[in-house]
Amino acid sequence: DAMVIQNPRYQVTQFGKPVTLSCSQTLNHNVMYWYQQKSSQAPKLLFHYYDKDFNNEADTPDNFQSRRPNTSFCFLDIRSPGLGDAAMYLCATSRLPQGGETQYFGPGTRLLVL
Amino acid sequence: KQEVTQIPAALSVPEGENLVLNCSFTDSAIYNLQWFRQDPGKGLTSLLLIQSSQREQTSGRLNASLDKSSGRSTLYIAASQPGDSATYLCAVSPIYGNKLVFGAGTILRVKS
């Protein structure tokens, strides 16, 4: 089945230690998104890629970076995680970056910062 | 700036009851509205998508309505079951782009 896969499902890191979260998709979608969802809060878009074109949200901290080496994979890098970065990180894909396009979400990676 | 609010924040009902979840948004210039389900510790599953030109969408026991002029949507769940227990989130997609703006969700518990 076509799907969005996130690895790992749970990630524990230390304060200030760089961490990378992975997302892959078999849907062959052009757009990949990263959302941050803190406990009991709404998911918040960090950035998205449309093909190789990177689109950062204005309020995304510089501490968060992303890479998309090919259509299938997208990575979220947190350069120096703080305690406030503990959250569920959701990856999503869509065919096109326009209204009306359904976004398909992965299972998420829960990040714990010690 | 678009803001999405969901009421109530949590809801507990006995099995078999019909229930309504509410979602309101501040900017009516939307392309569509989606309802998602999120199980504990899991990702999001899309339940229903309503285009701005539509009034409602139905899937099984779920019915979602949209009143763009008043900035409101409701998700109606008929004959609730314990398996319906989850967090339900609504999200709006603005006219331009595909940036979803989410509400914080309603945590639903259906007791057997």
Side-chain angles (χ1 to χ4, degrees), chain A residues 15-83:
Chain A
F15 182 94
K17 184 176 181 181
V19 65
T20 294
L21 309 182
S22 171
C23 177
S24 63
Q25 53 124 345
T26 61
L27 296 160
N28 204 31
H29 282 172
N30 297 304
V31 191
M32 296 186 78
Y33 308 81
W34 280 104
Y35 290 84
Q36 179 192 61
Q37 185 183 23
K38 295 186 178 180
S39 181
S40 301
Q41 295 185 22
K44 178 183 173 185
L45 182 65
L46 295 174
F47 27 59
H48 74 273
Y49 269 97
Y50 177 29
D51 290 331
K52 294 184 178 181
D53 185 22
F54 178 69
N55 298 272
N56 198 29
E57 293 299 304
D59 54 357
T60 298
D62 293 340
N63 199 25
F64 291 85
Q65 306 286 323
S66 186
R67 296 171 285 134
R68 190 178 186 187
N70 53 53
T71 300
S72 301
F73 284 87
C74 193
F75 300 100
L76 169 62
D77 300 309
I78 309 177
R79 291 192 297 186
S80 181
L83 298 178

Side-chain angles (χ1 to χ4, degrees), chain B residues 19-99:
Chain B
L19 58 99
V20 174
L21 307 180
N22 297 292
C23 172
S24 61
F25 47 95
T26 55
D27 186 349
S28 62
I30 66 168
Y31 202 97
N32 60 45
L33 182 144
Q34 281 185 264
W35 283 94
F36 291 88
R37 170 182 173 141
Q38 185 174 32
D39 291 290
K42 302 287 181 64
L44 305 179
T45 301
S46 181
L47 297 173
L48 291 164
L49 184 151
I50 312 176
Q51 302 290 353
S52 63
S53 58
Q54 297 175 319
R55 286 281 189 172
E56 63 180 328
Q57 281 286 344
T58 298
S59 176
R61 294 183 293 107
L62 305 180
N63 175 277
S65 68
L66 174 64
D67 184 343
K68 204 172 67 165
S69 62
S70 67
R72 293 182 181 180
S73 176
T74 61
L75 178 66
Y76 175 83
I77 302 177
S80 59
Q81 303 170 359
D84 295 330
S85 299
T87 298
Y88 291 82
L89 297 106
C90 70
V92 297
S93 179
I95 292 290
Y96 301 105
N98 198 22
K99 175 182 175 179

Side-chain angles (χ1 to χ4, degrees), chain A residues 77-110:
Chain A
D77 300 309
I78 309 177
R79 291 192 297 186
S80 181
L83 298 178
D85 296 327
M88 172 75 84
Y89 290 89
L90 299 165
C91 174
T93 73
S94 69
R95 197 169 53 93
L96 294 170
Q98 61 192 43
E101 290 286 328
T102 300
Q103 292 188 19
Y104 296 83
F105 284 81
T109 294
R110 182 166 295 282

